[in-house]
Amino acid sequence: MKSNLNNLTRINIQNLSPYQSARRIGGHGDTWLNANESPMSALFKCRVESFNRYPECQPNNLISAYADYVGLFRKEILVTRGADEGIELLIKAFCEPKKDAIIYCPPTYDMYAINAKIANVKIKEIPILKNTWKIDLFNLQASLDGVKLIYICNPNNPTGNIFSKKDLIILLQVTFNRCLVVIDEAYIEFSSKDSMVSYLKEFPNLIILRTLSKAFALAGIRCGFTLANEEIINILHKVISPYPISTVVTDIAIQALEKNEIKNMQNRVIKLNKNRVWLINKLKKNNFVKKIFDSHANYILVKFYMFKRVFQHLWEKGIIIRNQDHKINLQGCLRISIGSDKECLRLIEELKNLSKI
Ligand SMILES: *Cc1c(COP(=O)(O)O)cnc(C)c1O
């Protein structure tokens, strides 16, 4: 019997291509510079020994630890299975399928649009302005009809830029009482003065996403946070699954938020920011490099001459970076995560070798 499972699938899912995560794309090598992970690992041991009981839905101690770290009240925080779950829960709670829309501003993180597609929610694309990477406030303001959520990634992935506080405040003002502005601060520890956390009091339509996956070097445990006013957090409590955060994750995350571990995280950030400066200076001297974009995060976006050759050569040498050429206004661009000293050096050496071929 011929199976007809595709016909049973929702039409929007039939036509969906899944998110091309670094792990899905694959590659073989020893130098992984494609997922913006931390090259150094913090070392933890799980202190919990028995697991027969379900965890709390929102583990109290973990919420308290993060509240102390960001200087907010506990009721303003939701813990989620990575920041990715926060992106999804917001659409689930606020967007009516086929009726409401989200706005996102490419080139940026793909998961905003993918989650909207899964939920059958409309998508309005308002690209950031070419090369200056500023928010197109004029077009955005003219496109607010039917919009419930606006996703802004700050620092933006993959361009690396920060949006000015002035523009973000204008955005919050023009959307006040109309829709919610979600600022994804997955990389904010690399540029901490640019966080919008202090504006949560002033703007009830502001939502901030955070994660332990990047600066905290804990991508493997899947832990993120949504920060917003109490009313929004209570709405999200309605749609989150009953036990999203495993006991193991909570145990490790609480350790990562202890004072000395926060200090270690900040030292890693200083080190990676230094490596970024080093890498940029070396890349400037390479013939294949056409343009290096300013970055405030643990990755850089670089426009290359013959980008395919560069990508392929590095791939073959086991140095895996991320192709961004298919994205709007990023022709010939590759994104490189900032690695350890050794990894940065390898990358530069291999680029030099390519120049000699
Ligand atoms: C990595 C990343 C995330 C995902 O964070 P998780 O907590 O690992 O789910 C979210 N947003 C952006 C912009 C990212 O780059």
Side-chain angles (χ1 to χ4, degrees):
M1 222 174 16
K2 194 169 177 296
S3 141
N4 228 346
L5 288 175
N6 202 43
N7 287 348
L8 295 178
T9 311
R10 290 165 62 211
I11 289 163
N12 58 316
I13 305 297
Q14 287 179 25
N15 300 333
L16 185 77
S17 344
Y19 178 65
Q20 291 301 304
S21 68
R23 285 293 169 280
R24 242 181 199 150
I25 294 168
H28 293 281
D30 54 5
T31 306
W32 294 93
L33 303 176
N34 64 344
N36 299 342
E37 295 149 330
S38 167
M40 313 96 155
S41 185
L43 296 178
F44 296 103
K45 278 203 171 72
C46 186
R47 299 172 299 193
V48 184
E49 291 177 334
S50 63
F51 303 96
N52 56 315
R53 301 292 178 187
Y54 281 114
E56 295 168 85
C57 177
Q58 289 290 295
N60 216 358
N61 292 344
L62 176 52
I63 296 277
S64 293
Y66 206 76
D68 288 346
Y69 169 61
V70 279
L72 293 174
F73 293 114
R74 294 205 316 239
K75 61 188 180 188
E76 297 169 306
I77 297 172
L78 183 84
V79 55
T80 56
R81 195 165 24 80
D84 281 341
E85 190 184 22
I87 297 169
E88 179 188 348
L89 292 178
L90 286 163
I91 292 178
K92 229 181 205 173
F94 290 102
C95 297
E96 200 70 62
K98 292 187 178 172
K99 179 167 165 275
D100 295 335
I102 67 151
I103 284 181
Y104 88 118
C105 306
T108 189
Y109 190 49
D110 287 328
M111 285 306 288
Y112 317 129
I114 290 183
N115 276 296
K117 283 181 190 161
I118 292 171
N120 218 349
V121 163
K122 294 180 192 165
I123 300 167
K124 294 191 187 182
E125 277 188 33
I126 313 286
I128 49 176
L129 301 173
K130 196 172 174 178
N131 291 330
T132 64
W133 306 141
K134 280 176 182 294
I135 301 172
D136 188 347
L137 283 169
F138 182 80
N139 270 325
L140 206 148
Q141 203 173 342
S143 310
L144 293 179
D145 277 353
V147 171
K148 289 283 185 71
L149 296 167
I150 300 173
Y151 285 95
I152 300 284
C153 185
N154 196 45
N156 191 39
N157 176 8
T159 51
N161 65 289
I162 280 279
F163 298 109
S164 76
K165 276 201 177 149
K166 190 169 138 266
D167 281 1
L168 293 175
I169 289 166
I170 293 172
L171 179 63
L172 286 162
Q173 284 165 341
V174 300
T175 54
F176 202 87
N177 276 333
R178 287 190 74 172
C179 63
L180 302 171
V181 176
V182 185
I183 302 192
D184 183 343
E185 294 191 348
Y187 300 96
I188 201 66
E189 283 85 2
F190 296 96
S191 189
S192 52
K193 66 175 192 332
D194 295 300
S195 174
M196 292 296 283
V197 163
S198 61
Y199 291 90
L200 283 168
K201 278 191 187 58
E202 196 176 331
F203 295 103
N205 60 329
L206 171 60
I207 299 169
I208 293 174
L209 300 175
R210 293 287 192 88
T211 179
L212 299 185
S213 297
K214 309 286 163 52
F216 279 91
L218 285 172
I221 71 168
R222 315 300 305 121
C223 186
F225 300 88
T226 301
L227 317 177
N229 73 67
E230 183 180 8
E231 220 180 319
I232 291 178
I233 297 298
N234 285 339
I235 293 166
L236 295 174
H237 284 157
K238 294 188 186 185
V239 296
I240 197 164
S241 63
Y243 313 109
I245 310 296
S246 87
T247 308
V248 182
V249 169
T250 299
D251 185 76
I252 306 290
I254 287 172
Q255 295 180 52
L257 291 164
E258 282 166 11
K259 231 186 188 152
N260 61 321
E261 282 302 329
I262 288 178
K263 189 79 206 142
N264 287 341
M265 177 277 286
Q266 288 163 337
N267 288 334
R268 272 195 308 273
V269 164
I270 291 169
K271 176 64 189 155
L272 288 172
N273 283 347
K274 273 188 189 154
N275 284 9
R276 185 180 67 219
V277 173
W278 182 90
L279 195 62
I280 289 172
N281 282 328
K282 294 288 177 186
L283 285 170
K284 276 182 185 162
K285 295 173 192 149
N286 190 281
N287 295 334
F288 285 94
V289 173
K290 192 169 185 180
K291 177 168 183 158
I292 307 168
F293 291 92
D294 249 355
S295 169
H296 298 260
N298 65 335
Y299 51 86
I300 47 174
L301 184 73
V302 184
K303 198 178 183 99
F304 286 94
Y305 297 103
M306 295 186 276
F307 81 95
K308 273 188 187 152
R309 215 175 135 199
V310 171
F311 183 84
Q312 196 58 31
H313 175 78
L314 294 174
W315 178 279
E316 280 159 15
K317 298 292 174 187
I319 302 172
I320 313 299
I321 63 175
R322 189 87 182 222
N323 187 358
Q324 302 289 341
D325 172 73
H326 55 285
K327 290 194 174 173
I328 184 166
N329 292 330
L330 298 189
Q331 289 75 12
C333 289
L334 303 174
R335 190 194 69 192
I336 305 168
S337 304
I338 307 300
S340 63
D341 294 359
K342 202 174 134 207
E343 290 168 328
C344 291
L345 193 61
R346 269 216 68 200
L347 177 88
I348 293 298
E349 289 302 316
E350 277 309 334
L351 283 174
K352 272 188 202 157
N353 288 342
L354 182 62
S355 307
K356 289 176 202 153
I357 294 173

